[in-house]
Amino acid sequence: MEKFTVHTGVGVPLRRSNVDTDQIIPAVYLKRITRTGFEDALFAAWRGDASFVLNQDAYKTGSVLVAGPDFGTGSSREHAVWALKDYGFKVVLASRFADIFRGNSGKQGLVAGVVAQEDIELLWKILETKPGTEVTVDLENRTVHADDITVPFQIDDYTRWRLMEGLDDIGLTLQNEGAITEFEAKREAWRPKTLPAKHLPTVPIEPARPVDA
Amino acid sequence: MAGTLAEKVWDAHLVRHGSNGEPDLLYIDLHLLHEVTSPQAFEGLRLAGRPVRRPDLTIATEDHNTPTLDIDLPIADLTSRTQIDQLRKNAKEFGVRIHSLGDSDQGIVHQVGPQLGLTMPGLTVVCGDSHTSTHGAFGGLAFGIGTSEVEHVLATQTLPLQPFKTMAITVDGDLPPGTTSKDIILAIIAKIGTGGGQGYVLEYRGEAIRKLSMEARMTICNMSIEAGARAGMIAPDETTFEYLKGRPHAPEGADWDAAVEYWSTLKSDDDATFDAEVVLHAADLEPFVTWGTNPGQGLPLSANVPVPSEIADANERVAAERALEYMGLEPGVPLRDVKVDTVFIGSCTNGRIEDLRSVAKVLNGRKKAESVRVLVVPASARVRLQAEAEGLDKIFLDFGAEWRNAGCSMCLGMNPDQLAPGERSASTSNRNFEGRQGKGGRTHLVSPLVAAATAVRGTLSSLSDLDLPGDVDLTTFDGTPLAPLAAPSLV
């Protein structure tokens, strides 16, 4: 994972609350088996609307998304983060994030910064009155700078450290191999095992057929 | 020290306690996989040359993409087929148990775990699916994870996690006739909002919850995520043990006794403190229905479509305006007058045998409203077999409904089961987001009973519109039609 310290890029005002992951990337795009190439799927339902913010030239190259509260609710699909990253976003700012989305962002190097709603409103105002304004996100100092304002954002210490160091979670966890093995040795016998497989007798399943129209 | 149920389960899985803002490292007892959120995780393992650490704590099923018709034919949609083929290849390569389409144990992952007896009290259960919260109904800590975390669990059987806050949701009293656990959870979400549970594990408690069956408890925990919560839990009790006993993977003999002894300790202590508490009176509940495009936008069925200009909060007003425009609803119109095109009965929220029994009891001896398409999709192949053994399929077919094979189906329309643009559904599923059930589709979330009554009348309806006695036992099906048939009201 790339190290993240400071990023400067065009800010995109997304004046909507409750942008759920079905809006960020509709389910129809989840059928791919690769990890990249989701940029065309980002906000797919809205991209057909000429007035949508990302269809305006000034915002097209945006990399800092400034969104309304409760961003990333709904489905756990990490594709939402991939789509944002593939499009070119490095940072999403909102006053509240859904937990799973925030977790997924941290793992993929997308900064999900929590900014007070009144500061979001200030940022929106700047980005809307001066389209194309660049926003600087300083992870070390946890600040967002645009035009003549600098506002703080929150991100937990651990995620910040990992993003700044560009560390891979699995590698970090495997440093605890001894503790994991020790824990496994103490697990009770009643805890379930999927193997060897047990199930009721296998029965043929009758395929349902289309009804006559 | 006094603890909540969530804290007890958390503490029992601590591999390493984090310090200085570092997360705790938690052991994962059960990892469920499906075709949509796993391919990139396996790709990651392959690239790093890592094996699956515990295939014996892992199980895969095919559900999101699978067709519910002609399941013996090759899947027509090429990308769906690719994803399913990839899951099969990955399962084989990494030695993971899989229940594929056509297998009698195939089905929605959140039904497969419980019906096999793999989901138990006191476990940590994860899956790359937000509705993993379903499994918390057994008194475990169960939550959805992203694909990176799926890879992490496959590689290490652990997850680094920051502790959650806890919220007690007490539902006291008795549910009125004709209402269900779906109405409880829709009312909770409308009360606390789609972000109200963020950062919390919800523990549902109180008299109304204790009286619910396991199926009904699963419905409630399933939708915890729609309130923004990471997980929902219900302390295990006799109902839980009764459900589990004798299931294929339930412990046996001395293991069963040891398990029950431990499970019986899994409850929040009387003096445990929660970070937040919410109280709901079951007796005040009515059949609930959503009118907007998030699950928090719900009202009792007896209400009218909200009038945005009367909403004080500016953000909520704009959201309501946008939602009504998308939903094609006039402000102020009675919800009961809203005409639907499709009724969808199924999903990991309400596609279980008890749901199908209650629906069958209402539909028995009736015919569907002519203009309505009715889809009944069991949550799993075993649920389908059970329903057929009880003769429920005949009731559905005589009513004019379609009786399909198992899967996620129209809950999210990743397979051909979709709404057409502008089409309106009453759906027993969990999400009414824009385009969720098909591009331009309009979803009203409802209970199975409301879905059934709506299928009869063609407009959003409850049992009271059918002049049915609401206090009959709807959890069993004995083949007798619910009297009176109330023919005049069907016109």
Side-chain angles (χ1 to χ4, degrees), chain B residues 400-464:
Chain B
E402 297 182 44
W403 173 237
R404 298 291 188 92
N405 290 110
C408 299
S409 180
M410 196 183 269
C411 176
L412 81 169
M414 278 190 81
N415 76 350
D417 307 341
Q418 298 183 5
L419 294 180
E423 207 182 332
R424 184 182 302 284
S425 76
S427 176
T428 66
S429 55
N430 42 55
R431 289 196 174 131
N432 51 343
F433 297 156
E434 289 182 21
R436 169 82 176 179
Q437 295 191 294
K439 200 175 177 186
R442 296 161 168 166
T443 305
H444 296 276
L445 300 178
V446 297
S447 73
L449 294 182
V450 169
T454 301
V456 173
R457 284 166 50 89
T459 52
L460 292 174
S461 305
S462 67
L463 293 196
S464 62

Coordinates of all heavy atoms in Angstrom, one line a residue, chain B residues 400-464:
Chain B
G400 N -51.7 -18.2 -7.4 CA -51.3 -17.4 -8.6 C -49.9 -16.9 -8.5 O -49.4 -16.1 -9.3
A401 N -49.2 -17.3 -7.4 CA -47.8 -16.9 -7.2 C -46.8 -17.8 -7.9 O -47.2 -18.9 -8.3 CB -47.5 -16.9 -5.7
E402 N -45.6 -17.3 -8.1 CA -44.5 -18.1 -8.7 C -43.7 -18.7 -7.5 O -43.4 -18.0 -6.6 CB -43.6 -17.3 -9.6 CG -44.3 -16.7 -10.8 CD -43.4 -15.9 -11.7 OE1 -42.3 -16.4 -11.9 OE2 -43.8 -14.9 -12.1
W403 N -43.4 -20.0 -7.6 CA -42.7 -20.7 -6.6 C -41.3 -21.0 -7.1 O -41.1 -21.8 -8.0 CB -43.5 -21.9 -6.2 CG -42.8 -22.9 -5.2 CD1 -42.5 -24.2 -5.4 CD2 -42.3 -22.6 -3.9 NE1 -41.9 -24.8 -4.3 CE2 -41.8 -23.8 -3.4 CE3 -42.3 -21.4 -3.1 CZ2 -41.2 -23.9 -2.1 CZ3 -41.8 -21.5 -1.8 CH2 -41.2 -22.7 -1.3
R404 N -40.3 -20.3 -6.6 CA -39.0 -20.3 -7.2 C -38.0 -21.2 -6.4 O -38.2 -21.5 -5.3 CB -38.5 -18.9 -7.3 CG -39.3 -17.9 -8.1 CD -39.2 -18.3 -9.6 NE -39.8 -17.3 -10.5 CZ -39.1 -16.3 -11.0 NH1 -37.9 -16.1 -10.7 NH2 -39.8 -15.5 -11.8
N405 N -36.8 -21.3 -7.0 CA -35.7 -21.9 -6.3 C -35.0 -20.9 -5.4 O -35.2 -19.7 -5.5 CB -34.7 -22.5 -7.3 CG -35.2 -23.8 -8.0 OD1 -35.5 -23.8 -9.2 ND2 -35.4 -24.9 -7.2
A406 N -34.1 -21.4 -4.5 CA -33.6 -20.5 -3.4 C -32.5 -19.6 -3.9 O -31.7 -19.9 -4.8 CB -33.1 -21.4 -2.3
G407 N -32.4 -18.4 -3.2 CA -31.3 -17.5 -3.5 C -31.7 -16.1 -3.0 O -32.8 -15.9 -2.5
C408 N -30.8 -15.1 -3.2 CA -31.1 -13.7 -2.8 C -32.1 -13.1 -3.7 O -32.9 -12.2 -3.3 CB -29.8 -12.9 -2.9 SG -28.5 -13.5 -1.7
S409 N -32.1 -13.5 -5.0 CA -33.2 -13.1 -5.9 C -33.4 -11.6 -6.0 O -32.5 -10.8 -6.1 CB -34.4 -13.9 -5.5 OG -35.5 -13.6 -6.4
M410 N -34.7 -11.2 -5.9 CA -35.1 -9.8 -6.1 C -34.8 -8.9 -4.9 O -35.0 -7.7 -5.0 CB -36.6 -9.8 -6.4 CG -37.0 -8.4 -7.0 SD -38.8 -8.3 -7.2 CE -38.9 -8.9 -8.9
C411 N -34.2 -9.4 -3.9 CA -33.7 -8.5 -2.8 C -32.7 -7.5 -3.4 O -32.8 -6.4 -3.0 CB -33.1 -9.3 -1.7 SG -32.4 -8.2 -0.4
L412 N -31.9 -8.0 -4.3 CA -30.9 -7.1 -4.8 C -30.7 -7.2 -6.3 O -29.9 -6.5 -6.9 CB -29.5 -7.2 -4.1 CG -28.5 -8.3 -4.5 CD1 -27.2 -8.0 -3.9 CD2 -29.0 -9.6 -4.1
G413 N -31.5 -8.1 -7.0 CA -31.6 -8.1 -8.4 C -30.2 -8.3 -9.1 O -30.0 -7.8 -10.1
M414 N -29.4 -9.2 -8.5 CA -28.2 -9.5 -9.2 C -28.4 -10.6 -10.2 O -27.6 -10.9 -11.1 CB -27.0 -9.9 -8.3 CG -26.3 -8.8 -7.6 SD -24.9 -9.3 -6.7 CE -23.7 -9.4 -8.1
N415 N -29.5 -11.3 -10.1 CA -29.9 -12.4 -11.0 C -31.0 -11.8 -11.9 O -31.3 -10.6 -11.8 CB -30.3 -13.6 -10.2 CG -31.6 -13.5 -9.6 OD1 -32.2 -12.5 -9.6 ND2 -32.1 -14.6 -9.1
P416 N -31.7 -12.6 -12.7 CA -32.7 -12.0 -13.6 C -34.0 -11.5 -12.8 O -34.8 -10.8 -13.4 CB -33.1 -13.1 -14.5 CG -31.9 -14.0 -14.5 CD -31.4 -14.0 -13.1
D417 N -34.1 -11.7 -11.5 CA -35.3 -11.3 -10.8 C -35.2 -9.9 -10.4 O -34.7 -9.5 -9.4 CB -35.5 -12.2 -9.5 CG -35.4 -13.7 -9.9 OD1 -35.6 -14.0 -11.0 OD2 -35.2 -14.5 -8.9
Q418 N -35.7 -9.0 -11.3 CA -35.6 -7.6 -11.1 C -36.9 -6.9 -11.3 O -37.8 -7.4 -12.1 CB -34.5 -7.0 -12.1 CG -33.2 -7.5 -11.9 CD -32.1 -6.9 -12.8 OE1 -32.4 -6.0 -13.5 NE2 -30.9 -7.4 -12.7
L419 N -37.0 -5.7 -10.8 CA -38.1 -4.8 -11.1 C -37.8 -4.1 -12.4 O -36.6 -3.7 -12.6 CB -38.4 -3.8 -10.0 CG -38.9 -4.3 -8.6 CD1 -39.0 -3.1 -7.7 CD2 -40.2 -5.0 -8.8
A420 N -38.8 -3.8 -13.2 CA -38.6 -2.9 -14.4 C -38.6 -1.5 -13.9 O -39.1 -1.2 -12.8 CB -39.7 -3.2 -15.4
P421 N -38.0 -0.5 -14.7 CA -38.0 0.9 -14.3 C -39.5 1.4 -14.0 O -40.4 1.1 -14.8 CB -37.5 1.6 -15.5 CG -36.6 0.6 -16.2 CD -37.3 -0.7 -16.0
G422 N -39.6 2.0 -12.9 CA -40.9 2.5 -12.5 C -41.8 1.5 -11.8 O -42.9 1.9 -11.2
E423 N -41.5 0.2 -11.8 CA -42.3 -0.8 -11.2 C -42.2 -0.7 -9.7 O -41.2 -0.4 -9.2 CB -41.8 -2.2 -11.7 CG -42.9 -3.2 -11.7 CD -42.3 -4.6 -12.1 OE1 -41.3 -4.7 -12.9 OE2 -42.9 -5.6 -11.7
R424 N -43.3 -1.0 -9.0 CA -43.4 -0.8 -7.6 C -43.6 -2.2 -6.9 O -44.4 -3.0 -7.3 CB -44.6 0.1 -7.2 CG -44.7 0.4 -5.8 CD -46.0 1.3 -5.6 NE -46.0 2.5 -6.3 CZ -45.2 3.6 -6.0 NH1 -44.5 3.6 -4.9 NH2 -45.3 4.7 -6.8
S425 N -42.8 -2.4 -5.8 CA -42.9 -3.7 -5.1 C -43.3 -3.5 -3.7 O -42.9 -2.5 -3.1 CB -41.6 -4.5 -5.2 OG -40.6 -3.9 -4.3
A426 N -43.9 -4.5 -3.1 CA -44.0 -4.7 -1.7 C -43.1 -5.8 -1.5 O -43.3 -6.9 -2.0 CB -45.4 -5.0 -1.2
S427 N -42.0 -5.6 -0.6 CA -41.0 -6.6 -0.6 C -40.6 -7.0 0.9 O -40.5 -6.1 1.7 CB -39.7 -6.1 -1.3 OG -38.6 -6.9 -1.2
T428 N -40.5 -8.2 1.2 CA -40.1 -8.6 2.5 C -38.6 -8.6 2.8 O -38.1 -9.0 3.8 CB -40.6 -10.1 2.8 OG1 -39.8 -11.0 2.0 CG2 -42.1 -10.3 2.6
S429 N -37.9 -7.9 1.9 CA -36.4 -7.9 2.0 C -36.0 -6.7 2.9 O -36.8 -6.3 3.7 CB -35.8 -7.7 0.6 OG -36.4 -6.6 -0.1
N430 N -34.8 -6.3 2.8 CA -34.2 -5.4 3.8 C -33.8 -4.0 3.3 O -33.5 -3.2 4.1 CB -33.0 -6.1 4.4 CG -32.2 -6.8 3.3 OD1 -31.8 -6.1 2.4 ND2 -31.9 -8.0 3.5
R431 N -33.8 -3.8 2.0 CA -33.3 -2.5 1.5 C -34.2 -1.9 0.5 O -34.6 -2.6 -0.5 CB -31.9 -2.6 1.0 CG -30.9 -2.8 2.1 CD -29.5 -2.6 1.7 NE -28.7 -2.7 2.9 CZ -27.6 -3.4 3.0 NH1 -27.1 -4.0 2.0 NH2 -27.0 -3.4 4.1
N432 N -34.5 -0.6 0.6 CA -35.4 0.1 -0.4 C -34.6 1.1 -1.1 O -35.2 2.1 -1.5 CB -36.6 0.6 0.3 CG -36.2 1.5 1.5 OD1 -35.1 1.4 2.0 ND2 -37.1 2.3 2.0
F433 N -33.3 1.0 -1.2 CA -32.4 1.9 -1.9 C -32.9 2.1 -3.3 O -33.4 1.2 -3.9 CB -31.0 1.5 -1.9 CG -30.4 1.3 -0.5 CD1 -29.3 0.5 -0.3 CD2 -30.8 2.0 0.6 CE1 -28.7 0.4 0.9 CE2 -30.3 1.9 1.8 CZ -29.2 1.1 2.0
E434 N -32.6 3.3 -3.9 CA -32.8 3.5 -5.3 C -32.2 2.4 -6.1 O -31.0 2.2 -6.0 CB -32.2 4.9 -5.7 CG -33.0 6.1 -5.2 CD -32.4 7.4 -5.7 OE1 -31.7 7.4 -6.7 OE2 -32.6 8.4 -5.0
G435 N -32.9 1.8 -7.0 CA -32.4 0.9 -7.9 C -32.0 -0.5 -7.3 O -31.5 -1.3 -8.0
R436 N -32.2 -0.7 -6.1 CA -31.8 -1.9 -5.4 C -32.4 -3.1 -6.1 O -31.7 -4.1 -6.2 CB -32.3 -1.8 -3.9 CG -32.1 -3.1 -3.1 CD -30.7 -3.3 -2.6 NE -30.7 -4.5 -1.8 CZ -29.5 -5.0 -1.3 NH1 -28.4 -4.3 -1.4 NH2 -29.5 -6.1 -0.5
Q437 N -33.7 -3.1 -6.4 CA -34.3 -4.3 -6.9 C -34.4 -4.3 -8.5 O -35.1 -5.0 -9.1 CB -35.8 -4.4 -6.4 CG -35.7 -4.7 -4.9 CD -37.1 -5.1 -4.3 OE1 -38.0 -4.3 -4.3 NE2 -37.2 -6.3 -3.8
G438 N -33.6 -3.4 -9.1 CA -33.6 -3.2 -10.5 C -33.7 -1.7 -10.8 O -34.3 -0.9 -10.0
K439 N -33.0 -1.3 -11.8 CA -32.9 0.2 -12.1 C -34.3 0.8 -12.2 O -35.1 0.4 -13.0 CB -32.1 0.3 -13.5 CG -31.5 1.7 -13.6 CD -30.7 1.9 -14.8 CE -30.2 3.3 -14.9 NZ -29.5 3.6 -16.2
G440 N -34.5 1.9 -11.5 CA -35.7 2.6 -11.5 C -36.8 1.9 -10.7 O -38.0 2.4 -10.6
G441 N -36.6 0.7 -10.1 CA -37.6 0.0 -9.3 C -37.9 0.7 -8.0 O -37.0 1.4 -7.5
R442 N -39.1 0.6 -7.5 CA -39.6 1.3 -6.3 C -40.0 0.3 -5.3 O -40.9 -0.5 -5.5 CB -40.8 2.2 -6.7 CG -40.4 3.3 -7.6 CD -41.6 3.9 -8.3 NE -41.3 5.2 -9.0 CZ -42.1 5.7 -9.9 NH1 -43.2 5.2 -10.2 NH2 -41.7 6.8 -10.5
T443 N -39.3 0.3 -4.2 CA -39.5 -0.7 -3.2 C -40.1 -0.2 -1.9 O -39.7 0.8 -1.3 CB -38.1 -1.3 -2.8 OG1 -37.4 -1.7 -3.9 CG2 -38.2 -2.4 -1.8
H444 N -41.2 -0.9 -1.4 CA -41.7 -0.7 -0.1 C -41.4 -1.9 0.7 O -41.8 -3.1 0.4 CB -43.2 -0.6 -0.2 CG -43.7 0.6 -0.9 ND1 -43.8 1.9 -0.4 CD2 -44.0 0.8 -2.2 CE1 -44.2 2.8 -1.3 NE2 -44.3 2.1 -2.4
L445 N -40.6 -1.7 1.8 CA -40.3 -2.9 2.7 C -41.5 -3.2 3.6 O -42.1 -2.3 4.2 CB -39.1 -2.5 3.6 CG -37.8 -2.2 2.8 CD1 -36.7 -1.8 3.8 CD2 -37.4 -3.4 1.9
V446 N -41.8 -4.4 3.7 CA -43.0 -4.8 4.5 C -42.7 -6.2 5.2 O -41.7 -6.9 4.9 CB -44.2 -5.0 3.6 CG1 -44.6 -3.7 3.0 CG2 -44.0 -6.1 2.5
S447 N -43.6 -6.6 6.1 CA -43.5 -7.9 6.7 C -44.1 -8.9 5.8 O -44.9 -8.6 4.8 CB -44.3 -7.9 8.0 OG -45.7 -7.8 7.7
P448 N -43.9 -10.2 6.1 CA -44.6 -11.2 5.2 C -46.1 -11.1 5.3 O -46.7 -11.4 4.2 CB -44.1 -12.5 5.9 CG -42.8 -12.2 6.6 CD -43.0 -10.8 7.0
L449 N -46.7 -10.8 6.4 CA -48.1 -10.7 6.5 C -48.7 -9.5 5.6 O -49.7 -9.7 5.0 CB -48.6 -10.5 7.9 CG -48.3 -11.7 8.9 CD1 -48.8 -11.4 10.3 CD2 -48.9 -13.0 8.3
V450 N -47.9 -8.4 5.7 CA -48.4 -7.3 4.8 C -48.2 -7.6 3.4 O -49.0 -7.3 2.5 CB -47.6 -6.0 5.2 CG1 -47.8 -4.9 4.2 CG2 -48.0 -5.5 6.6
A451 N -47.1 -8.3 3.1 CA -46.9 -8.8 1.7 C -48.0 -9.6 1.2 O -48.5 -9.5 0.1 CB -45.5 -9.5 1.6
A452 N -48.4 -10.6 2.1 CA -49.5 -11.5 1.7 C -50.8 -10.7 1.5 O -51.5 -10.9 0.5 CB -49.7 -12.6 2.8
A453 N -51.1 -9.9 2.4 CA -52.4 -9.1 2.3 C -52.3 -8.2 1.0 O -53.3 -8.0 0.3 CB -52.7 -8.3 3.5
T454 N -51.2 -7.7 0.8 CA -51.0 -6.8 -0.4 C -51.1 -7.6 -1.7 O -51.7 -7.1 -2.7 CB -49.6 -6.1 -0.4 OG1 -49.5 -5.4 0.8 CG2 -49.4 -5.2 -1.5
A455 N -50.7 -8.8 -1.7 CA -50.8 -9.7 -2.9 C -52.3 -10.0 -3.2 O -52.7 -10.1 -4.3 CB -50.0 -11.0 -2.7
V456 N -53.1 -10.1 -2.1 CA -54.5 -10.3 -2.3 C -55.2 -9.1 -2.9 O -56.0 -9.2 -3.8 CB -55.1 -10.7 -0.9 CG1 -56.7 -10.9 -1.1 CG2 -54.5 -12.1 -0.4
R457 N -54.9 -7.9 -2.3 CA -55.7 -6.7 -2.7 C -55.1 -5.9 -3.8 O -55.7 -5.1 -4.4 CB -55.9 -5.9 -1.4 CG -56.9 -6.5 -0.5 CD -56.9 -5.8 0.9 NE -56.9 -4.4 0.8 CZ -57.9 -3.6 0.8 NH1 -59.1 -4.1 0.9 NH2 -57.8 -2.3 0.8
G458 N -53.7 -6.0 -3.9 CA -53.1 -5.2 -5.0 C -52.7 -3.8 -4.5 O -52.0 -3.1 -5.2
T459 N -53.1 -3.4 -3.3 CA -52.6 -2.2 -2.7 C -52.0 -2.5 -1.4 O -52.3 -3.6 -0.8 CB -53.7 -1.2 -2.5 OG1 -54.8 -1.9 -1.7 CG2 -54.3 -0.6 -3.8
L460 N -51.1 -1.7 -0.8 CA -50.5 -2.0 0.4 C -51.6 -2.2 1.5 O -52.5 -1.4 1.7 CB -49.6 -0.8 0.9 CG -48.4 -0.5 0.0 CD1 -47.7 0.8 0.5 CD2 -47.4 -1.7 0.1
S461 N -51.5 -3.4 2.1 CA -52.6 -3.8 3.0 C -52.1 -4.6 4.1 O -50.9 -5.2 4.1 CB -53.6 -4.8 2.2 OG -54.0 -4.1 1.0
S462 N -52.9 -4.8 5.2 CA -52.5 -5.7 6.3 C -53.7 -6.7 6.5 O -54.7 -6.6 5.8 CB -52.3 -4.9 7.5 OG -53.5 -4.3 8.0
L463 N -53.5 -7.6 7.4 CA -54.5 -8.6 7.7 C -55.9 -8.0 8.0 O -56.9 -8.5 7.6 CB -54.1 -9.5 8.9 CG -52.9 -10.4 8.7 CD1 -52.9 -11.5 9.7 CD2 -52.9 -11.0 7.3
S464 N -55.9 -6.8 8.6 CA -57.2 -6.2 9.0 C -58.0 -5.8 7.8 O -59.2 -5.8 7.8 CB -56.9 -5.0 9.9 OG -56.2 -4.0 9.2

